[in-house]
Amino acid sequence: GKGWQGELTNHRKDGSTYISEQAITPVFNSNGSVTHYISIQQDITKRKADERSLVQRATQLTLLKDIGEQIVAVLDLPLVFEQTVQLVQESFGYHHVGIYTVNPQEDIVKLQAKAGGYKNLIPSNYTQKIGQGLVGWVAHKNKFALSNDVELDKRYINIVPEKLFTKSELSVPIHMSDIVIGVLDAQSPVKDAFDESDVTVMQTLADQVAIAIDNAHLHAAIKRSLKETQAMASINQALNEILDLDRQLQLMVDSISQIIPHIERVVAHLYDEENTILVPAAVAGISPGRKPNIQMQSGQGIAGEVIKTGVSINVRDTHDDPRFIPFEGATYLRSLLVVPIQSSGRRVGTISVSSKIPRAFTDEDERLLTMIGVQASIALQNARLYTATSRSLAESNMLFFINNL
């Protein structure tokens, strides 16, 4: 004879289920006996779904907050990428997560890190043309791409058809000031794996990754600036203290190889004004016994043009520049930056740095190397003056000694 209130799962006539909230109340007669029951029920399926959605959203927000705090605290860029894909894949249960960066110079997106079921299937150095595939499309359009049946999506490209069984893919742009710098990508072997909440999650994560990348770049720039300042001070002090020309040049090329990234070799040429040729004087990255013996006329090759004009040249890809003269067939060197050693308009030589990586040297590298070239010019002129003065003094002493015999 007691009432009851609770929730039940019922079936509709079409076989579908719904959740109802019911209240059953007994009705008594004058003798206190139950004569019948009154039942009131309400379909609360939508309300329960909304509640689950709120719980899920709260959970997602907590995870997003935790992930954001962890990746923003990382200041090493490769570690930012690795930690991002690992945390996203584990926290949200996506089958596969990858993060790409955009290289506008080469018109590609490059895979930086991956986690999940396809980690060992997708090549670590994988690149894709901007505009091709879902990831390339996102990099080009700066819009997210959601495909819950990739077989019907013309944008989709399966890079390893015999191994990847992707059915759904979600890609979102990582951007700074409306410029796409990367793409965050999730894939699943199940159709309809992603919904609007996943889009929101991935977009929020992409924004956090952008902040982490910016922090890492700023940290790297500060570290490099400090390293450059210290190196420049050391180079300047050493060049001014050392008056031996060969030691000056070797110190300079050794220091350059330590402070500019991606360098394969450094060569300092001195200009022989009488014969109008550049002569290799010091090297780093090459064994002393293999010092290049290429002597270039003024105007010949990249270094020859620099000594002729006094203007730095940054060759982004040597394969595209017919002026490049490879040392002993070193065609694997893809980038070349050459600056003059000059001060007050007087050019005494050149500094050349090269790398195996195309487009390796930045405007900042050119600026730094130019500053070193100016310092080196002053120091070399001082060394030559010291040498000439010492020789003159030695000759004077010899003549004095002879005259007094």
Side-chain angles (χ1 to χ4, degrees):
K2 294 182 179 180
W4 179 85
Q5 184 174 348
E7 297 174 1
L8 294 173
T9 300
N10 288 326
H11 292 269
R12 299 186 179 93
K13 290 182 179 180
D14 62 2
S16 62
T17 61
Y18 68 96
I19 302 173
S20 67
E21 184 179 62
Q22 294 188 5
I24 302 175
T25 305
V27 178
F28 301 90
N29 60 16
S30 57
N31 297 323
S33 300
V34 177
T35 59
H36 59 280
Y37 291 88
I38 297 175
S39 175
I40 299 174
Q41 67 173 3
Q42 178 184 7
D43 188 341
I44 60 169
T45 305
K46 184 177 183 306
R47 191 182 82 190
K48 298 298 289 185
D50 290 343
E51 289 175 357
R52 287 195 300 272
S53 179
L54 286 173
V55 172
Q56 181 185 23
R57 180 62 177 160
T59 303
Q60 288 176 343
L61 289 172
T62 300
L63 290 173
L64 287 170
K65 178 177 177 292
D66 292 343
I67 292 173
E69 289 176 349
Q70 291 184 64
I71 63 174
V72 170
V74 179
L75 296 175
D76 177 69
L77 194 55
L79 191 55
V80 168
F81 296 140
E82 288 292 341
Q83 198 154 339
T84 295
V85 296
Q86 196 69 37
L87 288 170
V88 173
Q89 195 273 325
E90 291 177 354
S91 300
F92 293 95
Y94 296 140
H95 184 76
H96 171 81
V97 177
I99 191 166
Y100 296 77
T101 54
V102 174
N103 185 331
Q105 288 80 22
E106 297 186 30
D107 197 36
I108 60 171
V109 288
K110 182 178 180 181
L111 181 65
Q112 297 292 345
K114 53 190 174 171
Y118 298 156
K119 180 176 182 179
N120 298 322
L121 303 179
I122 300 177
S124 297
N125 60 348
Y126 175 70
T127 62
Q128 195 165 297
K129 280 287 185 182
I130 293 176
Q132 295 182 358
L134 286 171
V135 170
W137 184 90
V138 169
H140 177 61
K141 296 291 186 178
N142 196 7
K143 299 177 180 178
F144 78 86
L146 172 59
S147 181
N148 271 321
D149 189 349
V150 295
E151 293 180 1
L152 303 178
D153 197 323
K154 294 181 181 180
R155 299 170 298 179
Y156 175 72
I157 294 176
N158 191 334
I159 60 176
V160 192
E162 68 278 8
K163 294 181 179 179
L164 300 186
F165 302 99
T166 298
K167 299 297 182 184
S168 303
E169 185 170 2
L170 171 59
S171 299
V172 299
I174 303 169
H175 47 72
M176 289 183 186
S177 303
D178 295 327
I179 298 174
V180 182
I181 61 171
V183 177
L184 186 61
D185 181 68
Q187 298 183 32
S188 172
V190 179
K191 288 183 180 180
D192 300 314
F194 305 109
D195 57 25
E196 290 183 3
S197 68
D198 294 302
V199 174
T200 301
V201 164
M202 290 282 281
Q203 287 178 325
T204 304
L205 287 166
D207 290 341
Q208 292 175 333
V209 172
I211 294 171
I213 291 174
D214 193 34
N215 288 346
H217 281 157
L218 180 60
H219 177 69
I222 292 172
K223 280 184 64 179
R224 177 170 179 180
S225 178
L226 179 60
K227 185 177 180 180
E228 288 177 0
T229 300
Q230 293 172 338
M232 289 293 291
S234 299
I235 291 173
N236 188 43
Q237 180 181 355
L239 288 176
N240 288 326
E241 290 177 354
I242 298 173
L243 294 173
D244 178 84
L245 189 62
D246 291 335
R247 286 180 62 198
Q248 279 188 340
L249 290 169
Q250 194 59 51
L251 167 73
M252 179 183 69
V253 296
D254 288 341
S255 298
I256 291 169
S257 67
Q258 297 298 316
I259 60 176
I260 296 181
H262 311 304
I263 283 181
E264 180 72 16
R265 59 177 58 170
V266 186
V267 180
H269 288 86
L270 290 182
Y271 186 51
D272 181 342
E273 293 182 345
E274 182 178 350
N275 297 303
T276 65
I277 60 172
L278 281 169
V279 181
V283 297
I286 308 172
S287 61
R290 296 183 65 245
K291 182 185 295 186
N293 58 5
I294 296 177
Q295 297 184 354
M296 286 173 284
Q297 293 288 334
S298 175
Q300 179 188 16
I302 307 295
E305 185 169 336
V306 169
I307 197 65
K308 180 180 180 181
T309 64
V311 179
S312 303
I313 297 177
N314 189 351
V315 179
R316 305 295 183 181
D317 193 336
T318 58
H319 288 186
D320 298 331
D321 198 318
R323 298 171 298 177
F324 175 65
I325 302 174
F327 162 59
E328 294 185 355
T331 55
Y332 62 89
L333 296 174
R334 298 294 299 275
S335 298
L336 177 66
L337 172 59
V338 184
V339 303
I341 301 175
Q342 66 178 350
S343 176
S344 301
R346 184 184 179 190
R347 296 184 283 277
V348 297
T350 61
I351 306 171
S352 304
V353 295
S354 51
S355 173
K356 295 178 181 179
I357 305 171
R359 299 174 178 83
F361 304 119
T362 65
D363 292 342
E364 283 297 302
D365 296 327
E366 184 175 340
R367 178 192 59 78
L368 176 63
L369 204 59
T370 300
M371 290 171 58
I372 293 175
V374 172
Q375 284 187 332
S377 175
I378 296 171
L380 292 176
Q381 290 181 55
N382 289 341
R384 284 174 169 171
L385 179 61
Y386 173 78
T387 300
T389 302
S390 297
R391 186 183 298 116
S392 178
L393 181 61
E395 291 174 354
S396 297
N397 288 338
M398 180 62 69
L399 288 173
F400 178 79
F401 175 76
I402 294 173
N403 290 332
N404 286 277
L405 285 178

